[in-house]
Amino acid sequence: MKKIASLLLLIVFFNCKEKNVDLMQLNGYWEIEEVQLPDGSLRDYTYNNTIDYIELTDSVNGIREKLKPKIDGDFEGSNLKESFEVRTENDSLNLYYKTPYSQWKETILMLNEEHLKVINQNQIIYTYKHYQPLILD
């Protein structure tokens, strides 16, 4: 299983390198669309009660914050911001997170205007889509 995951990562990394990923596309509101576990099973998310706000503060640093969308289109903040550093290593684009409680790494597998896909150290793949607020008439 590890060999397959490693091969998949290499293919995706080379694709990201060839496409010259625009890190500015990280900026914005993201919601989880699906999660793929290491055994290949998928969990779809049709509703999210929290979303992630990601903002690059300069060319190599940024923050991510969990927010709760409100009915009026505004957000309720969690006041828990996770700082991250962007590093390119071995043709892969990594986000290194650090909080007072933990630190971890996510590798960007895909990033475009509509989707963000990352894999963490536990080989769990998260696919995000840009958040679209629910508009009530």
Side-chain angles (χ1 to χ4, degrees):
M1 185 69 173
K2 286 185 179 182
K3 288 182 181 181
I4 293 171
S6 297
L7 180 60
L8 175 64
L9 287 175
L10 284 174
I11 291 169
V12 173
F13 294 151
F14 285 115
N15 285 340
C16 284
K17 184 180 178 189
E18 290 172 8
K19 294 178 184 174
N20 294 325
V21 172
D22 179 6
L23 280 178
M24 295 308 291
Q25 292 177 336
L26 272 176
N27 290 330
Y29 300 90
W30 296 92
E31 65 180 318
I32 294 177
E33 187 172 39
E34 77 176 15
V35 174
Q36 181 178 347
L37 300 176
D39 66 3
S41 62
L42 292 175
R43 177 170 180 208
D44 290 326
Y45 284 76
T46 55
Y47 172 76
N48 293 297
N49 61 351
T50 61
I51 61 170
D52 289 347
Y53 173 71
I54 299 175
E55 178 184 346
L56 287 171
T57 55
D58 61 34
S59 62
V60 294
N61 295 292
I63 55 108
R64 179 169 76 177
E65 181 179 8
K66 294 281 187 197
L67 301 173
K68 284 187 174 188
K70 294 170 38 177
I71 242 171
D72 65 0
D74 202 5
F75 300 96
E76 183 179 321
S78 64
N79 295 324
L80 295 175
K81 293 183 180 179
E82 302 164 342
S83 299
F84 66 85
E85 180 183 352
V86 179
R87 294 187 210 160
T88 302
E89 302 168 314
N90 301 323
D91 293 328
S92 63
L93 199 53
N94 298 311
L95 305 176
Y96 285 87
Y97 289 90
K98 188 173 185 179
T99 70
Y101 311 104
S102 184
Q103 57 186 15
W104 66 97
K105 175 179 92 168
E106 293 179 336
T107 300
I108 296 176
L109 300 177
M110 178 181 68
L111 174 62
N112 59 40
E113 293 176 2
E114 300 170 11
H115 288 95
L116 167 64
K117 187 180 281 195
V118 298
I119 187 168
N120 68 16
Q121 293 167 315
N122 297 322
Q123 302 301 306
I124 299 173
I125 299 173
Y126 293 88
T127 302
Y128 295 85
K129 63 182 178 181
H130 263 293
Y131 172 72
Q132 297 296 323
L134 179 64
I135 299 173
L136 302 174
D137 292 330

